[in-house]
Amino acid sequence: VERERILDEQKRLGVVPAETRLTPRPATVPAWDSLSAGERQIAARFMEVYAAALSYVDFQVGRIVEELRASGQYDNTLIIYLQGDNGTSPEGGVGGAFNYYDVINSWGLNADEAFLEPRDRLLANLDRLGGPESAPAIPTGWSTALNTPFSGWKSDAAHLGGQRAGMVMAWPGRMEDTEAVREQFHYVTDIAPTLYELAGVKPPEDVDGIPQQTIDGVSMAYTFKAPSAPSRRTRQYFENRASMAMYRDGWWASYRMSPGEVIDEEHDFSGDWQLYHLAEDFSQSRDVAASHPGRLKELQSLFLEEAARNQVLPIRLGVREGVKKPGMESPGHYVLYPGTERYSDWGFPNVRRRSWSLTARFHVPDGGGSGMIVNQGGRFAGWGLMLVDGIPEFVYRNGDADTDLLALRADAVLDEGHHVVRVSVADSASREDGPGPVVGRARSADFTLEIDEVVVARGRVDKAVGNAFMYQGAAIGHSTGSALTGAYSGPFAFNGTIERVEFVLAPRP
């Protein structure tokens, strides 16, 4: 019902063509009428929280605009507002998830068909949803409604429900017909060329003697004065998690790989491709592959050409074998130093699904040490080495419950002076005494805490974090975002001097 209402409103506002058709609800998504009273209560609260979050964001964006007006800079400001970075997410499963990180670490990113969390746990925590003790993900029923009129979800490159996002651009006095919907096809890589053109910036062809890659993208500035001009972006390829698509001049071909299939430059596609004429079918509701085999073949060839140019071939179940892994993904020895910055998970040693160790070298000041030495993630999934009331402590969380916390704590305060603290982690699949227990999709891991070469504590987690720590990054010398425990609050900066923190990453088994 909500999808039908949304589509009617979209047509009334003119943001979709009047002839747009609603795609079918996925078979894995239950109808509202089939839910029990408790399941409806859970689903309703998830959407209330989601709506409140959107309202809050909307208000804060409004504050920025009002400040620009008050400062006299509004007329001199180009605003580009993107509604999300992809389609809505299915990662909460059919029933929704109280802790998003529990879902992706226990079931993975493609568990959209399951009721992942126990209903009684969700009912018991309804009043906590949306607060600092929750990291919720909405049920797939709402994900489907919010993707109206498209099919597909986040991580699906084959369908617009996984790719298309709304965009609003405003620049007072610089645009014609500011209320008009621009229907030209454009991609996120077109934003940078737009800004370069408007700012009069020409990207350098080389930096410090190193030739630079050409910048993909087409400036959208031409649409400011010509709302109905033909699109200057004529093609774009898509690929993610074994799904892919190729767009060209209003046509969209999409494909999902078969198990064991490998796509390279000479690949001869024989699987089930779909073809959509977006110029006449905005929502991808009618597959016309059977009636346009030549067009489909053309787009298949173009996909291989673009995939090769973007260095993603060969493709095997979405793994980009042609691209080198980030440097801190590889086994080896890494040294990091303290600073005010926060590291992203992709710019920090990847300790997931392997044995690893960290060695922290620091100086405790006169009067005792306190603060975070190194940490990654937070309350819902993360770890950290810290001094609390002068006592070294290592904590590891694989979830938000008290039972999801491992704490290794020394029994004495560190004296003033230089100290070396080491944490060693033996992944269950890497231990010399053979694999440890497996719980669900996760492996166990054994932890050892050493202070100045003396072992002071040991512990085990049955489910080590396998996919993602909480997305708040990592830091040396301070804490970012939510706290791992109630013993401190951020930034919890270390009051001594950190010399360095060293990581040793073992090969993955």
Side-chain angles (χ1 to χ4, degrees), residues 6-67:
I6 290 173
L7 180 56
D8 287 343
E9 182 70 2
Q10 290 172 333
K11 290 179 179 180
R12 186 188 70 80
L13 294 172
V15 296
V16 304
E19 66 275 10
T20 300
R21 293 168 34 162
L22 193 62
T23 53
R25 185 181 78 247
T28 58
V29 176
W32 177 266
D33 291 344
S34 71
L35 301 180
S36 67
E39 290 168 349
R40 292 185 192 182
Q41 185 181 5
I42 293 168
R45 178 57 57 87
F46 270 108
M47 197 58 204
E48 289 166 359
V49 169
Y50 192 98
L54 291 179
S55 178
Y56 179 83
V57 170
D58 188 58
F59 179 78
Q60 303 306 324
V61 172
R63 290 180 63 202
I64 295 173
V65 172
E66 290 306 314
E67 181 62 25

Side-chain angles (χ1 to χ4, degrees), residues 362-433:
F362 56 89
H363 188 280
V364 173
D366 181 22
S370 176
M372 186 65 67
I373 304 298
V374 53
N375 82 302
Q376 181 178 20
R379 174 185 175 83
F380 303 99
W383 60 268
L385 175 64
M386 67 192 95
L387 267 64
V388 179
D389 297 327
I391 298 177
E393 183 173 357
F394 176 83
V395 297
Y396 187 96
R397 298 202 73 115
N398 59 15
D400 61 282
D402 291 341
T403 55
D404 297 327
L405 173 66
L406 170 71
L408 303 182
R409 184 176 171 87
D411 56 8
V413 172
L414 283 187
D415 297 331
E416 177 189 358
H418 185 266
H419 294 276
V420 178
V421 177
R422 188 169 191 264
V423 177
S424 302
V425 184
D427 177 86
S428 64
S430 306
R431 291 202 304 266
E432 294 181 358
D433 59 347

Side-chain angles (χ1 to χ4, degrees), residues 213-292:
Q213 290 182 328
T214 57
I215 295 177
D216 281 347
V218 177
S219 171
M220 296 177 279
Y222 70 95
T223 67
F224 292 5
K225 299 293 185 180
S228 301
S231 178
R232 294 183 184 177
R233 158 75 78 168
T234 60
R235 65 169 67 178
Q236 177 61 41
Y237 99 106
F238 303 81
E239 178 266 327
N240 189 17
R241 298 183 184 277
S243 62
M244 55 204 67
M246 186 69 218
Y247 170 87
R248 183 173 185 176
D249 293 328
W251 293 85
W252 178 290
S254 59
Y255 182 62
R256 186 171 293 279
M257 293 175 64
S258 302
E261 184 177 7
V262 179
I263 296 176
D264 55 26
E265 289 91 339
E266 306 300 324
H267 193 70
D268 184 15
F269 290 109
S270 58
D272 183 22
W273 279 73
Q274 295 85 49
L275 180 67
Y276 303 96
H277 192 193
L278 299 186
E280 300 177 356
D281 179 21
F282 181 84
S283 62
Q284 284 185 313
S285 66
R286 297 184 295 276
D287 177 10
V288 295
S291 55
H292 296 276

Side-chain angles (χ1 to χ4, degrees), residues 116-161:
L116 301 175
E117 294 207 38
R119 294 164 179 79
D120 56 354
R121 167 176 156 86
L122 291 172
L123 282 169
N125 285 287
L126 285 187
D127 289 341
R128 296 169 64 204
L129 274 177
E133 296 180 339
S134 71
I138 59 175
T140 52
W142 291 124
S143 299
T144 303
L146 295 175
N147 263 348
T148 301
F150 306 113
S151 64
W153 288 310
K154 171 186 173 182
S155 297
D156 179 3
H159 297 93
L160 289 170

